[in-house]
């Protein structure tokens, strides 16, 4: 039962990859150097976004009845 549509899926994938890279890039960037352990939390959020894009299902959409894809 997919509830994540095309544009939503692409955006989740792109932002997920970017967020996953934050903990690795942050120490070398002065603007992000102060993240510390928060960088890993941001990276974990990126993994969740990436997984929701891959499986086309977002559990947070269910209670609100949100669907960004067409009905099957």
């Amino acid at each position: 039962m997919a509830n994540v549509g095309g544009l939503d899926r692409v955006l989740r994938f792109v932002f997920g990859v970017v967020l996953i890279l934050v903990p690795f890039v942050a120490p070398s960037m002065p603007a992000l150097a102060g993240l510390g352990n928060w960088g890993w939390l941001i990276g974990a959020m990126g993994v969740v976004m990436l997984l929701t894009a891959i499986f086309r299902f977002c559990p947070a959409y269910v209670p609100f009845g949100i669907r960004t894809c067409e009905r099957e």
Side-chain angles (χ1 to χ4, degrees):
M1 177 199 295
N3 64 2
V4 175
L7 179 61
D8 190 6
R9 188 176 187 191
V10 170
L11 291 175
R12 285 173 182 270
F13 189 86
V14 170
F15 285 121
V17 169
V18 170
L19 291 177
I20 289 170
L21 294 175
V22 165
F24 302 103
V25 176
S28 64
M29 295 180 67
L32 298 176
L35 285 177
N37 289 333
W38 286 102
W40 294 106
L41 180 63
I42 293 170
M45 291 174 15
V47 170
V48 170
M49 290 186 76
L50 198 61
L51 289 174
T52 58
I54 291 169
F55 292 110
R56 298 184 59 204
F57 180 76
C58 178
Y61 280 2
V62 175
F64 302 106
I66 299 172
R67 292 179 59 96
T68 60
C69 64
E70 295 185 24
R71 300 261 179 206
E72 296 174 357

